[in-house]
Amino acid sequence: MAPSLAICLPVHNAQAALDRMVRDALELSVDLVPRVEVLVIDDGSNDATSEIAHELSLQYPQVRHFRQPIRMGRPMNLRLALSEATADVVLVRDERCRLSLSEMTKMWRKLGDYDVVFALADQEPARGWSRWVQKLKPTLEHDGIQLEEEDACIDLQLIRRRAIETVRWTIGSRNAQVAELNRNGYRWVAIHSLREVLGTIPAAPTAVNALAEAMTEKPAANGSEERPSPIRKPNYLKHLRDFALGE
């Protein structure tokens, strides 16, 4: 029998993106499995996220909606997603995910040989994140954004049912999760991608300008420099805020 798939979407204040995210999940899963469920886990949003999720659950029988009464934070929301998923294979999209759900197809092809497949937006996120924090922290904190260095997230992960319990209690921390998988003898693989999907919510102008300036100094994978288009400046800060705070 073909395996079933659960796609878990932990979100917070995602009213602008949620409808498209759920529809993408349903469309992408059609070619992979005959049975799919999409779980929207709302982490105490104070916008229209919960209402949109409810409407989607009425429109699509494959969609289930859960809402935390207050903001519990990324790790707790990720654990709730894994607890509620009932399928043979579970895809978890981190709240700070920088990748398109289309990566799921590539991950599915890898699953045959592994218990867990990770998809990561960059190969060495910790080093790049540390540099961004040090360079931008004074300006961003002036705009009311608090930054702390933390363990990098796993943007997307595809998990077989047998590894769920091992993953559940360490999810939210890449280092701890990998260590626990290794300790329990599970096989995993990481797929690295340079394609990033940035946010769409504009932010404070001074922080935007500082982040855009830092980005122009970031070397590309081939050693050249990437210079972002000015029209996308507002997107960079949303991306950084999600990556840092999960908000």
Side-chain angles (χ1 to χ4, degrees), residues 122-218:
D122 44 15
Q123 197 160 3
E124 295 180 296
R127 186 193 308 176
W129 173 241
S130 178
R131 183 173 62 83
W132 282 9
V133 168
Q134 296 305 317
K135 187 175 183 67
L136 301 177
K137 192 171 184 179
T139 302
L140 296 178
E141 288 186 347
H142 181 268
D143 291 333
I145 303 169
Q146 300 297 317
L147 297 181
E148 297 180 1
E149 296 200 45
E150 57 183 81
D151 194 12
C153 77
I154 298 171
D155 297 88
L156 296 167
Q157 48 188 308
L158 200 58
I159 312 162
R160 289 189 182 276
R161 169 59 50 185
R162 58 178 174 260
I164 289 290
E165 285 303 312
T166 295
V167 169
R168 185 191 306 178
W169 300 110
T170 54
I171 198 166
S173 168
R174 184 191 303 185
N175 294 338
Q177 189 172 334
V178 167
E180 193 67 10
L181 287 170
N182 289 339
R183 190 177 73 84
N184 285 276
Y186 289 111
R187 300 189 65 199
W188 60 270
V189 64
I191 301 172
H192 299 287
S193 174
L194 296 179
R195 291 180 292 135
E196 299 183 11
V197 178
L198 306 181
T200 57
I201 301 177
T206 54
V208 168
N209 293 337
L211 182 55
E213 178 184 354
M215 287 289 288
T216 61
E217 301 175 5
K218 181 183 177 183

Side-chain angles (χ1 to χ4, degrees), residues 1 5 13 18 21 32-34 43 57 68 76 143 145 152 168 179-180 186 197 210 217-218 235 240 244:
M1 180 182 296
L5 173 65
N13 289 349
L18 183 58
M21 197 186 306
L32 301 179
V33 293
D43 192 13
S57 69
Q68 305 271 27
M76 288 294 292
D143 291 333
I145 303 169
R168 185 191 306 178
E180 193 67 10
Y186 289 111
V197 178
E217 301 175 5
K218 181 183 177 183
N235 293 346
L240 181 58

Side-chain angles (χ1 to χ4, degrees), residues 55-149:
E55 289 298 320
L56 287 167
S57 69
L58 296 177
Q59 186 175 357
Y60 300 103
Q62 305 96 319
V63 176
R64 292 196 287 149
H65 168 223
F66 303 88
R67 187 177 191 277
Q68 305 271 27
I70 60 173
R71 175 77 158 145
M72 301 298 292
R74 284 177 53 255
M76 288 294 292
N77 217 33
L78 289 165
R79 287 173 195 141
L80 176 59
L82 289 179
S83 298
E84 295 294 340
T86 60
D88 303 316
V89 179
V90 179
L91 177 85
V92 180
R93 179 191 184 275
D94 194 280
E95 185 182 307
R96 304 182 309 192
C97 180
R98 300 151 291 171
L99 294 175
S100 165
L101 278 173
S102 62
E103 294 291 323
M104 177 171 60
T105 303
K106 185 191 304 181
M107 298 168 70
W108 190 264
R109 291 197 295 264
K110 285 279 188 182
L111 188 63
D113 298 325
Y114 299 95
D115 299 299
V116 182
V117 179
F118 301 137
L120 310 174
D122 44 15
Q123 197 160 3
E124 295 180 296
R127 186 193 308 176
W129 173 241
S130 178
R131 183 173 62 83
W132 282 9
V133 168
Q134 296 305 317
K135 187 175 183 67
L136 301 177
K137 192 171 184 179
T139 302
L140 296 178
E141 288 186 347
H142 181 268
D143 291 333
I145 303 169
Q146 300 297 317
L147 297 181
E148 297 180 1
E149 296 200 45

